[in-house]
Amino acid sequence: MKIAPSILSANFLYLADQIKQIESEVEYLHIDIMDGHFVENLSFGPMIVSAVRQISKLKFDCHLMVQNPTNYIEKLKHAGADIVGVQVESTQHIHRLIDQIHQLDMQAEVVINPGTPITLIEPLLDEVDSILVMTVDPGAGGQKMITKCLKKVVTLNELREMNAFHYRIEIDGGVNAETIALAAKAGVDVAVAGSYVFGSTNPQLQIQKLMEESQIDEI
C-alpha cells in the first residue's frame, strides 16, 4: 500500500518544510481543493498547487470538492497536477470531465462520498485511473473513519478482478495506525493520511508506522 499525505492537515506557515520532511517516504501528495460551496470549508486552489510544484516532484493527487469542477481542470494542468479527482456528486457530466482530464494528459479519479453507492459509478470503471472512496464526509480533517465504507473497497476489488479493470483504489478519511490495517485487509492501494501524519512532530515517522501496520498479515 502507498501513503498519500494530505497537506490539508499541514502547518501552512511551514508548508514547504513539512513537504520536504515526508518527500523521501512517499510517491503521492494529496491536495484538497475546496470552494466553500460543495463543502463548507475553503482550502487550496490552483495557485497553491503551482507554488508547491516548484518545491516538490511528488505526484500531485488533487481532489476537487467544488460545485463547478469544469472550471478547475485546465488550471490544475497548468499548475502541475498529475491526478485530478472529481466528486461524482458534483456534476451531471462526469464522463465529459474524465475525458477532459485525459485529454490534458492527467490521470482521472472519480470520488464517492460515504453515502454514495458504487452502482452510481459502475459505468465509469473502465474509464478511470483511480477511484477515491471517502471514508468520512468530505470537507474537514481529523474525522473518525466510517469503517463500513471499506465494504465498497472490497466490492471494487472484486469488480476489478472480474473485469480486468486497472484502476487504483484509494481511501481518504480517518486513516491512522489502527484503521490502516483494516484498509489493507479490504484491498486499498493508496491511503490518504492527514492529521495522523502532519499532526505529529515527526511526520516521517508517522508514515513509516502506517507502512508497517499496513503490512501486517492476517493471523
Side-chain angles (χ1 to χ4, degrees):
M1 184 190 299
K2 298 181 185 295
I3 306 299
S6 171
I7 62 172
L8 184 64
S9 297
N11 186 328
F12 300 161
L13 289 176
Y14 305 101
L15 185 55
D17 291 339
Q18 294 216 304
I19 291 171
K20 289 297 183 183
Q21 285 183 50
I22 54 91
E23 199 160 27
S24 63
E25 301 292 331
V26 297
E27 180 179 340
Y28 299 97
L29 192 68
H30 192 81
I31 304 175
D32 289 310
I33 297 171
M34 307 177 188
D35 65 353
H37 298 286
F38 182 76
V39 294
E40 292 183 2
N41 288 336
L42 282 166
S43 64
F44 310 107
M47 289 181 66
I48 296 296
V49 177
S50 180
V52 174
R53 175 51 75 202
Q54 295 178 47
I55 58 98
S56 177
K57 294 182 179 180
L58 293 173
K59 292 180 182 177
F60 286 5
D61 180 7
C62 297
H63 175 194
L64 289 174
M65 288 175 267
V66 300
Q67 277 190 347
N68 297 297
T70 307
N71 297 340
Y72 290 78
I73 306 301
E74 190 166 348
K75 293 176 183 176
L76 286 173
K77 170 62 179 180
H78 294 312
D82 299 290
I83 305 163
V84 176
V86 179
Q87 295 270 167
V88 70
E89 304 89 356
S90 71
T91 178
Q92 296 180 350
H93 307 291
I94 189 68
H95 289 275
R96 183 188 303 169
L97 282 171
I98 290 170
D99 184 61
Q100 182 184 5
I101 293 166
H102 282 152
Q103 287 293 324
L104 290 169
D105 199 28
M106 296 183 292
Q107 293 188 17
E109 179 175 79
V110 64
V111 189
I112 55 173
N113 281 341
T116 301
I118 289 176
T119 51
L120 193 63
I121 62 167
E122 281 194 44
L124 309 172
L125 297 183
D126 62 341
E127 299 181 31
V128 295
D129 303 285
S130 181
I131 299 167
L132 174 54
V133 176
M134 294 300 298
T135 45
V136 297
D137 290 314
Q143 300 182 63
K144 182 179 180 181
M145 180 183 286
I146 304 170
T147 54
K148 65 182 179 181
C149 293
L150 294 176
K151 294 178 182 178
K152 296 179 186 178
V153 173
V154 174
T155 301
L156 287 167
N157 264 300
E158 292 171 350
L159 290 169
R160 180 169 60 181
E161 185 173 347
M162 283 190 301
N163 297 282
F165 294 143
H166 300 289
Y167 50 75
R168 294 181 304 277
I169 303 172
E170 184 172 343
I171 62 165
D172 183 359
V175 172
N176 56 41
E178 289 73 41
T179 58
I180 194 73
L182 298 175
K185 184 178 178 181
V188 170
D189 301 306
V190 180
V192 176
S195 56
Y196 181 79
V197 172
F198 288 117
S200 165
T201 56
N202 192 336
Q204 188 177 38
L205 179 61
Q206 295 298 89
I207 292 171
Q208 292 170 359
K209 288 180 181 178
L210 289 175
M211 294 300 299
E212 290 172 5
E213 294 298 326
S214 71
Q215 298 301 319
I216 294 176
D217 294 328
E218 182 179 0
I219 299 174

